[in-house]
Amino acid sequence: METTDVLSPQAADASVRPATAADLAAIGAVHARAWRAAYGDLLGPQVLAALLPEEFAEAWTGAVTRPPSSRHRVLVACSGPTVVGFCASAPDDGTTPSGAAGGPSSPDAEIVALLVDPLHQRRGHASRLLAATVERCRDDGVDAVRAWSPADDGPRREFLASAGFGPDGTARELALPGDPGPSDDETRRGRSLREVRLVAALG
């Protein structure tokens, strides 16, 4: 994802809108390119080669065409007619939708994914996606929005901090897949990725 909101001649032709089924191929392509750029040094070559846009597109089909609730959203950023990024949000794990028996009246939300094509970064797309997502969460009566960031990804954390997100002290370790082969082969073993959680209060 991008880290600064730099104005450019393309900014006037930029927009954010809800994703549709027609966007799935573009979403898959953005996801694959963004992951290769972000995690290329952590994944084995065979794993990188297996990051196919078609598989990512299939993985996002349900979220785009059959979201579990009105608070599960996928927005896309466009440069002209071209989809260049996307943001997915959902009610935060452990909360109950507003009005459900025994649950809080205003659930929190989580940014599940916020990715911009590496070829289209530094043009404000991530800022527009995040702003539009947070605004929709605010309209839902959400109290806080959470997002995860790799612990060593300073630019991403700075970007989120500039949007009002701060660490809440929660961290997690994600196991990344490695290439098939002997587990003692350093080039084949999967590595772990430490992420920290950041929160923005909307009240």
Side-chain angles (χ1 to χ4, degrees):
M1 64 174 282
E2 65 196 281
T3 58
T4 57
D5 190 359
V6 178
L7 293 179
S8 69
Q10 294 87 353
D13 200 26
S15 62
V16 172
R17 60 171 173 77
T20 69
D23 300 319
L24 285 168
I27 290 172
V30 168
H31 200 156
R33 284 194 290 266
W35 269 35
R36 289 191 184 109
Y39 305 119
D41 59 341
L42 296 177
L43 303 174
Q46 292 185 46
V47 174
L48 283 174
L51 296 180
L52 300 177
E54 296 83 0
E55 294 190 5
F56 280 119
E58 182 177 354
W60 284 109
T61 297
V64 171
T65 64
R66 300 181 303 277
S69 77
S70 62
R71 292 182 176 175
H72 289 77
R73 297 188 178 94
V74 181
L75 303 180
V76 293
C78 299
S79 178
T82 304
V83 172
V84 298
F86 69 98
C87 182
S89 61
D92 192 71
D93 290 342
T95 64
T96 305
S98 177
S105 59
S106 297
D108 294 340
E110 180 177 346
I111 303 294
V112 179
L114 176 56
L115 299 170
V116 173
D117 190 319
L119 298 176
H120 293 270
Q121 293 182 358
R122 299 182 62 82
R123 300 176 187 177
H125 296 299
S127 295
R128 284 183 286 272
L129 278 168
L130 184 59
T133 297
V134 169
E135 186 61 28
R136 283 163 172 77
C137 290
R138 192 188 307 274
D139 291 343
D140 288 337
V142 166
D143 290 328
V145 178
R146 296 182 173 87
W148 292 91
S149 171
D152 60 356
D153 190 341
R156 180 182 177 92
R157 293 182 66 176
E158 290 175 7
F159 167 75
L160 290 169
S162 70
F165 285 76
D168 70 351
T170 303
R172 66 184 181 186
E173 294 283 338
L174 299 181
L176 300 176
D179 286 342
S183 61
D184 60 349
D185 186 340
E186 181 64 29
T187 65
R188 295 179 180 273
R189 285 204 303 266
R191 302 181 185 181
S192 63
L193 176 68
R194 186 172 187 270
E195 291 189 322
V196 295
R197 192 171 67 181
L198 299 97
V199 181
L202 303 187

